[in-house]
Every structure is written in C-alpha cells, then in structure tokens.
Amino acid sequence: MQMRAMVLEEFGGTLKLHSRQVPEPAPAEVLVQVVACGAGLTLESIRLGHLGGSTPRIMGHEYAGTVAALGAGVEGWQIGDAVTGSFYLFCGSCTMCASGREMLCSNNKGNIGARIDGAFAEYVVVPARNLVRIPTGVALREAGIIADAVATPYHIARERARIVAGQRVAVIGAGGGVGLHMLQVAKAFGAFVIAVERDAAKLVRLREMQLDALVDASVENWQADLVAAAEGQLDTCIDFVGTPLTTSTGLAALGRGGTFVIVGTLPGLRSDKNAVISAAPMYLINKELTIMGTRYATRAEIAHSLQLVRDGKVKPMIGASFPLAQAEDALEAIRRNQVFGRVLIDCTV
Ligand SMILES: [Zn+2]
C-alpha cells in the first residue's frame, strides 16, 4: 500500500511530496496512522542538519494518530488506540532512562523525523516504548501539538523551574508556538505570568489574552519594564529566544533567589561561539541565582500535559493548519514568524 509523505531530499532543501510504501513495524515497533503533526522551529534546525540524522528523510516529530499495526512482541497496545509520543530515540535501559530522565538518555540515537522517518506522512513507524496514550476527551487534532508544545513547558514548570503558586514568571518569546503554551502552563501552576515579546502583531494578540502583565521587548531598556512588571521580584525567567540580548536582559532582571531557564536559541545561533550566557560570580552569589538549561520532556510529562488539556487548564493554540502536501508552506510561515499559535499539519488531507 502506498502513502503520501513530505520528504526532505537533502539538508537545507525544501520538503517535496513523495509516494512511499507504507512502512511495516519491526519487532518492538508500532505503525501509527497519523492524524495531525505539529510544527515549529525544531523542524527548521532538523531541515538545516543541525540535529543530526540523514537524508532523504520524512520529517515531522510531534504527532497524534491511531495505532494501525503492531510489530512482533508489542504488548499493551491495540489497533485503534489513540496515541502520541516522545520524539527522542532513547534506549530505555541506561541510568538516565531508568531514573525517569529519558531526555538525557546516554544512548540517545537522535530524533524521530531526523534519524528515522517522521510523521509528515499518512503513516509513521515508531518504537512502541515511545508511545503515550491520548485520553478520552482530547481531540486527536489538538493532541498533535501537545507532545512538544505543551509537554516542553510542563517539564520546565514541574521539573526544572519548579514553579509554585504566587511566583512571578516571565516568558521571553511568549508569542511563539511553544511560548504561548508556556504562559498557560505557568498559569496552571498558579504563577503571576509576564509575557515578553517584541513582534508588533504578536503583541496585539497577546494583549487580547488578558495576561497578568505584558512587556514590549522592542523598546529600549525593556529590562526596567520587566523588573517593574514583576514588582522587583522576578522569580523565574524562561527564555525561548536565546540571543545575547535576551539572555543578558533576562538574567539581569531576576529578583533574589531567581532562576533563569534557557529553553531554545534561534537556529542561526546554535553554532555561534559568541552566543554565551555570562554573569559576574558575585552577582550570582549575592542573589543566590540559578541558571539552568532544559530539554524536552518525559513520556510521563507528555501524559500529564494531555491531562492538563483534558481538564481545561491548558488550551492548545493552533495558529494555522496546512494540508500534508503544503508542509513546506507551513515551514515557510514558521521561518517568517507569521503564525500566532502552533502550526499544525493535517495529515488526513
Ligand atoms: Zn537511555
């Protein structure tokens, strides 16, 4: 049986529509019929070859669908089960995996959609151990943007920054597809949430969301506005942009005992050796500050993110939906920073 798939023929190229044989699951693998697949800047890094893997490659890492076939030896799943999953190819047996930190797997083989074929297709084969069940009450379409865009913020809130009710939390790059969900997750944890954004169109949309506070990062000295918005006590600053300006400003705006969390950096800065985070030792010491990195989420955190959505605490924000064959247009919209909300690829049309 044939399927439609969007293929990256070589790194740096564009996605092309191909007809491919529907893959067969090997032992310990599962074939998933894809309904929806989220898209964000991670894909741009994969497209440029920054996250490893090889070409030709079907991209797409954040998927939701139903189980269509089981490889030999797979237990616990049935045909028709609604599933999403982790896009990391973790081993499941190293010390990090055993301690529930599979995003730090010592034997990580890379990402679905980079190292192995992904979900910009009508079907995808994934390791059975990667799957997470989608609970009743969460639409498959919405589930297509939860496994990364909601789960990554959830991991930050629960495991890294450990946000507690009443804290002042700022999100730099709040208008991005993941930042918008970080705002909601931080709110669900009870924080006073400050959105920081510099794009004029996104600022207009953020204003409509009735957030606790909004800082326009296009103005000079927005650090003072950020400090004022937090009433001098910014507890946590979460940076999705990762430029020298955002990291230095966010760090300088922290209050006593504050935490700076770096989530991402623009694709062009990934290999820029000058893009460092720096702070004077006495500044960190006197305020007892913490600087931390964070990466992705565990399957348990994906499951909890799905529950948050089902319980109405977080609303998946799909900013634009593209048919599978127009996935390249979706990537172009992401590159141009044109979409307010996560981009969704509808793999059923
Ligand atoms: Zn491992």
Side-chain angles (χ1 to χ4, degrees):
M1 192 167 71
Q2 296 294 116
M3 68 173 188
R4 295 175 303 134
M6 293 302 287
V7 177
L8 179 70
E9 294 170 346
E10 56 190 349
F11 288 129
T14 57
L15 300 183
K16 303 268 170 52
L17 181 63
H18 285 219
S19 182
R20 286 276 190 94
Q21 193 79 22
V22 173
E24 289 195 13
E29 292 180 342
V30 169
L31 178 70
V32 175
Q33 184 170 11
V34 185
V35 169
C37 192
L41 273 179
T42 298
L43 292 175
E44 185 62 4
S45 296
I46 290 173
R47 187 185 72 83
L48 294 171
H50 294 166
L51 294 184
S54 59
T55 57
R57 180 66 60 219
I58 302 172
M59 287 175 55
H61 71 297
E62 185 183 33
Y63 58 89
T66 54
V67 173
L70 303 172
V74 172
E75 294 180 359
W77 299 101
Q78 294 187 325
I79 307 290
D81 282 348
V83 290
T84 179
S86 167
F87 69 90
Y88 276 17
L89 295 169
F90 55 90
C91 77
S93 54
C94 72
T95 303
M96 282 295 147
C97 285
S99 65
R101 304 179 80 186
E102 63 218 31
M103 76 287 284
L104 299 179
C105 173
S106 317
N107 307 311
N108 191 346
K109 289 190 165 56
N111 297 339
I112 291 171
R115 169 73 182 253
I116 66 172
D117 280 335
F120 281 177
E122 291 175 282
Y123 292 88
V124 62
V125 163
V126 297
R129 73 161 74 94
N130 281 55
L131 293 181
V132 176
R133 194 176 301 279
I134 298 172
T136 307
V138 177
L140 284 176
R141 180 181 161 81
E142 293 194 327
I145 65 161
I146 292 174
D148 186 359
V150 181
T152 297
Y154 184 85
H155 175 64
I156 293 166
R158 184 182 86 162
E159 200 58 41
R160 303 301 290 144
R162 303 199 173 179
I163 293 170
V164 296
Q167 284 189 326
R168 269 52 187 158
V169 175
V171 179
I172 299 177
V178 187
L180 284 167
H181 295 96
M182 186 74 247
L183 296 172
Q184 294 189 58
V185 170
K187 199 71 213 164
F189 275 69
F192 177 94
V193 182
I194 304 161
V196 183
E197 175 61 52
R198 68 170 193 176
D199 181 81
K202 291 186 173 180
L203 279 164
V204 170
R205 300 291 300 271
L206 285 164
R207 241 170 232 119
E208 295 166 358
M209 286 175 67
Q210 302 191 328
L211 302 158
D212 296 318
L214 182 60
V215 170
D216 179 352
S218 72
V219 303
E220 286 277 324
N221 197 21
W222 55 273
Q223 180 189 323
D225 296 338
L226 180 51
V227 171
E231 295 169 318
Q233 182 52 45
L234 181 60
D235 297 296
T236 300
C237 184
I238 304 165
D239 186 0
F240 283 87
V241 181
T243 65
L245 176 69
T246 61
T247 56
S248 61
T249 306
L251 199 46
L254 285 179
R256 291 174 169 265
T259 300
F260 181 83
V261 185
I262 182 72
V263 191
T265 190
L266 299 178
L269 289 173
R270 280 180 176 265
S271 53
D272 184 346
K273 291 190 172 57
N274 295 317
V276 296
I277 298 174
S278 62
M282 288 314 296
Y283 177 66
L284 298 180
I285 291 165
N286 285 337
K287 283 187 156 181
E288 274 207 340
L289 302 181
T290 302
I291 301 175
M292 61 169 62
T294 184
R295 65 182 295 184
Y296 195 34
T298 65
R299 289 162 296 171
E301 288 164 339
I302 294 171
H304 288 141
S305 299
L306 288 157
Q307 300 283 15
L308 268 186
V309 170
R310 192 192 65 173
D311 296 346
K313 299 286 198 322
V314 172
K315 172 76 183 149
M317 293 176 68
I318 298 169
S321 179
F322 293 82
L324 177 60
Q326 290 173 24
E328 179 56 34
D329 297 334
L331 291 192
E332 180 60 17
I334 292 166
R335 282 191 289 270
R336 288 171 179 259
N337 196 26
Q338 284 176 330
V339 181
F340 187 77
R342 188 72 156 169
V343 169
L344 187 84
I345 308 299
D346 185 340
C347 299
T348 67
V349 293

